[in-house]
Amino acid sequence: MAYVAIQGGQRAIEEAARLSEYLRTEQGIEGRPVSLDDIKYQLRGLHSRILSEGGLYHPDLAALAIKQSMGDPLEASFALRAYRSTRPRRMETAAHDTSRMRLVRRISAAFKDIPGGQMLGATPDYSLRLLRFDLMDESPEAFQEIAGTWMENLNADDVPDTFPKVLDLLMEEGLLASSDNDGSEEAFDITRQPMIFPVPRSAALQSMARGETGSLLMIAYSNMRGYGDVHPTVGEVRVGYLPVELPHPVTGTPVEIGEVLMTECEVVAMYEGGDDAQAQPRFTVGYGACFGHNEVKAIAMAILDRALQKGMQDGAANPSEDPEFVLLHIDGIDSMGFCTHYKMPHYVTFQSDMDRLRTTQSKKERDL
Amino acid sequence: MVPRNLWVHALSAIPENDLKAAADQLKVGYDIRHRALPEEGLGLLKMKDGAFGDHYYIGEFPVASAHVELHDQKGRVFEGGTHVMHDSAAYAADLAVCDAVLANRLPGWETIAELVEAGMQRRGEEHLKRKTMLARTKVNFDLLSTVREKENED
């Protein structure tokens, strides 16, 4: 691939940047700059996407990335990813499980009655998805009143601090293989090591956790529609704040240094095994998790995790079971970069293509 | 008294200027030395997956760290340290000073203890808000059963 240096384009490029800034502020005296808090609180869905696809849990900078990119999720994730690449990595945590997550939502499609109960939290699941025209001209007073009213009489006496995992119920019944993993295997880090296939499952989970939501959904959807046979049931979706711990520099004991909002999903899939006389058949499982509140991503990831496990075990029977196909095509920054590079000047390569075509045409004319 | 492993959790809920003002006052009379240079950068969050217990990395987070020694005029040395989810090493250094003062009950520790209590109260309010989200949206399947039973009776 060859590019040509552009002479005389500098002024145009500078003016293009100025024009983008003008469009961001085009409302003029009627407008006001959108604040980072506005983005964090009122564009939660978009903000959550950037946190996970940017690969960095930094709520302020994710909001800044959204602001500067004027809401383009791929550009915003790119900016956050670029920022993280400039920062030194100081440490890594011990492995965290989600048993101590401070939940704000928890549901199961597998069981009606789960220990601790099902809590819908904030969800559009049961809404009609009709446009709310009352928001078109929302007054600040009405806006503030909603929050004020909700905050009256907060009471949660019956709500426990933590909730058991739904999958544990199935394990207790012997319907699911119990995990005998001691966690001694080192986790693969795709930001430091190239993915040379086959890669361990930890590489797949990390790739998918920072993958682009639409890409994960598209490949998972192909499996759901029939190019695969995961047939998932959502065992549990939980959304909440995970306390992050590091050892205290003096005492060495774990200390909570902050928390991250995350979404986690476990899907129960088709059972397998039992071919030999000794082993009982058991349900198979897929797992998904990501920063922020993004249930589509977590569920799609869980389905793909299960599909990839099957592909690794039996060989890929469809695209969603092929680790190389899935893991190399879900990164938003990679794919967006490759796609948009086609806009950049390809004058030399295209000139070459034209020359070859003309030569071929001439040859054909001579032959005729 | 709030246990030491929750001090960062509590103090990081306090406005940064308030914490800095308190830390600046506490530093007076001590020679502050850094056991390790205060650092800022990123931490990598390792997770244990809920299906098989495999470890994997879900992403990174900002982290700042400090480990300080407070030397008083009698030659005594008091240690404090912290990691915090934040971008500023200076902020971590302030937290480390507060940690040393509170852990060793040095003069002014009451101020930090009050900030910790205030921070815990804020965290408690946040916690209550989140739990209320769950309480108010808890699905009551008993009602479904009652309706069905009633329908059967009819």
Side-chain angles (χ1 to χ4, degrees):
Chain A
M1 217 174 305
Y3 301 101
V4 220
I6 306 293
Q7 292 292 327
Q10 186 173 344
R11 174 138 185 241
I13 291 168
E14 287 168 358
E15 285 300 324
R18 279 189 65 214
L19 175 57
S20 293
E21 271 301 271
Y22 165 71
L23 292 182
R24 192 175 68 79
T25 59
E26 193 180 9
Q27 287 169 287
I29 56 169
E30 299 285 318
R32 67 171 182 85
V34 64
S35 76
L36 299 192
D37 277 347
D38 287 345
I39 292 168
K40 279 191 284 185
Y41 288 100
Q42 295 186 54
L43 300 178
R44 288 172 189 264
L46 175 60
H47 188 245
S48 279
R49 277 189 60 165
I50 306 311
L51 287 172
S52 72
E53 293 169 21
L56 174 63
Y57 192 86
H58 200 311
D60 286 339
L61 295 188
L64 177 63
I66 291 167
K67 178 173 178 170
Q68 78 178 45
S69 66
M70 291 185 273
D72 183 323
L74 290 169
E75 287 286 351
S77 301
F78 196 161
L80 193 60
R81 204 78 79 82
Y83 170 80
R84 72 152 283 284
S85 72
T86 67
R87 304 289 285 168
R89 184 182 289 165
R90 300 296 185 191
M91 59 196 72
E92 74 174 57
T93 68
H96 286 54
D97 67 40
T98 55
S99 59
R100 291 174 51 228
M101 248 169 102
R102 298 160 182 145
L103 299 187
V104 292
R105 170 163 163 79
R106 179 205 193 217
I107 54 164
S108 171
F111 299 102
K112 179 163 66 77
D113 296 310
I114 54 176
Q118 301 212 28
M119 284 90 163
L120 301 182
T123 177
D125 285 352
Y126 301 95
S127 70
L128 293 175
R129 268 87 170 191
L130 298 178
L131 279 175
R132 288 185 53 197
F133 292 103
D134 56 311
L135 298 185
M136 283 182 82
D137 195 20
E138 191 177 23
S139 72
E141 294 76 20
F143 181 88
Q144 289 153 13
E145 191 187 343
I146 295 167
T149 305
W150 192 90
M151 288 291 287
E152 287 171 6
N153 305 318
L154 297 184
N155 188 339
D157 292 342
D158 298 334
V159 179
D161 289 330
T162 58
F163 295 83
K165 300 296 289 279
V166 172
L167 283 197
D168 292 344
L169 295 174
L170 293 169
M171 275 184 203
E172 282 168 16
E173 275 199 60
L175 299 175
L176 210 66
S178 59
S179 170
D180 52 3
N181 189 338
D182 61 1
S184 57
E185 189 181 332
E186 286 284 311
F188 192 97
D189 182 3
I190 62 164
T191 68
R192 296 291 166 95
Q193 299 163 266
M195 283 203 286
I196 298 167
F197 292 88
V199 292
R201 182 165 172 263
S202 58
L205 293 176
Q206 187 184 16
S207 298
M208 291 193 284
R210 50 192 256 153
E212 199 264 333
T213 305
S215 306
L216 285 164
L217 175 61
M218 188 281 284
I219 305 178
Y221 185 47
S222 72
N223 189 295
M224 295 176 222
R225 285 198 66 252
Y227 293 92
D229 59 355
V230 170
H231 301 296
T233 301
V234 170
E236 185 172 359
V237 168
R238 48 171 61 197
V239 182
Y241 294 83
L242 177 75
V244 176
E245 293 185 333
L246 281 170
H248 190 283
V250 179
T251 66
T253 55
V255 170
E256 182 179 337
I257 63 148
E259 61 180 13
V260 296
L261 174 64
M262 63 175 286
T263 307
E264 185 184 46
C265 172
E266 282 121 10
V267 296
V268 181
M270 302 292 283
Y271 64 81
E272 65 177 23
D275 293 339
D276 68 77
Q278 304 297 319
Q280 288 280 13
R282 295 184 200 281
F283 281 129
T284 55
V285 191
Y287 176 83
C290 59
F291 283 151
H293 183 172
N294 190 342
E295 294 172 29
V296 165
K297 180 170 177 175
I299 295 169
M301 176 174 165
I303 292 168
L304 288 176
D305 175 43
R306 176 55 209 145
L308 292 176
Q309 290 170 42
K310 188 166 182 295
M312 293 287 278
Q313 185 181 304
D314 305 330
N318 55 66
S320 65
E321 292 177 3
D322 182 340
E324 194 165 338
F325 181 82
V326 173
L327 302 180
L328 293 184
H329 296 107
I330 53 172
D331 190 83
I333 316 306
D334 286 354
S335 53
M336 169 262 223
F338 211 103
C339 178
T340 55
H341 104 276
Y342 288 116
K343 296 184 292 188
M344 307 312 277
H346 283 64
Y347 306 143
V348 171
T349 49
F350 191 64
Q351 194 72 46
S352 164
D353 287 344
M354 287 198 299
D355 288 347
R356 269 188 309 178
L357 177 59
R358 286 180 188 127
T359 307
T360 308
Q361 285 180 339
S362 305
K363 188 170 180 295
K364 184 127 192 177
E365 277 171 18
R366 279 199 307 273
D367 292 347
L368 288 173
Chain B
M1 180 71 179
V2 176
R4 192 175 189 178
N5 64 351
L6 290 174
W7 292 351
V8 175
H9 177 59
L11 290 173
S12 55
I14 298 294
E16 288 179 28
N17 286 341
D18 294 356
L19 187 88
K20 182 175 181 350
D24 285 346
Q25 280 193 333
L26 295 170
K27 288 175 193 168
V28 177
Y30 292 100
D31 176 18
I32 313 281
R33 297 180 197 171
H34 294 283
R35 286 279 299 255
L37 278 178
E39 289 183 331
E40 59 201 27
L42 303 181
L44 186 59
L45 180 54
K46 190 194 285 180
M47 299 290 299
K48 182 178 175 183
D49 100 81
F52 301 102
D54 284 342
H55 292 178
Y56 73 99
Y57 299 115
I58 193 171
E60 290 168 298
F61 58 88
V63 66
S65 309
H67 189 170
V68 299
E69 287 178 352
L70 276 59
H71 293 249
D72 72 5
Q73 289 169 348
K74 294 177 184 169
R76 292 177 300 181
V77 179
F78 307 99
E79 263 189 274
T82 197
H83 299 297
V84 63
M85 203 181 277
H86 201 278
D87 284 319
S88 164
Y91 177 68
D94 285 342
L95 279 173
V97 169
C98 294
D99 182 67
V101 168
L102 196 51
N104 296 286
R105 295 285 200 279
L106 302 180
W109 71 270
E110 298 91 341
T111 308
I112 304 303
E114 284 170 16
L115 288 179
V116 168
E117 290 293 341
M120 286 307 284
Q121 189 173 341
R122 286 177 188 221
R123 294 293 185 196
E125 288 163 4
E126 188 66 38
H127 196 45
L128 175 62
K129 189 168 82 177
R130 291 173 184 169
K131 286 174 79 171
T132 303
M133 291 179 190
L134 297 179
R136 288 184 181 169
T137 59
K138 184 169 183 176
V139 182
N140 187 347
F141 287 108
D142 292 342
L143 289 175
L144 188 67
S145 307
T146 312
V147 171
R148 280 198 180 144
E149 280 161 20
K150 241 183 167 179
E151 281 172 354
N152 291 338
E153 282 167 18
D154 294 343

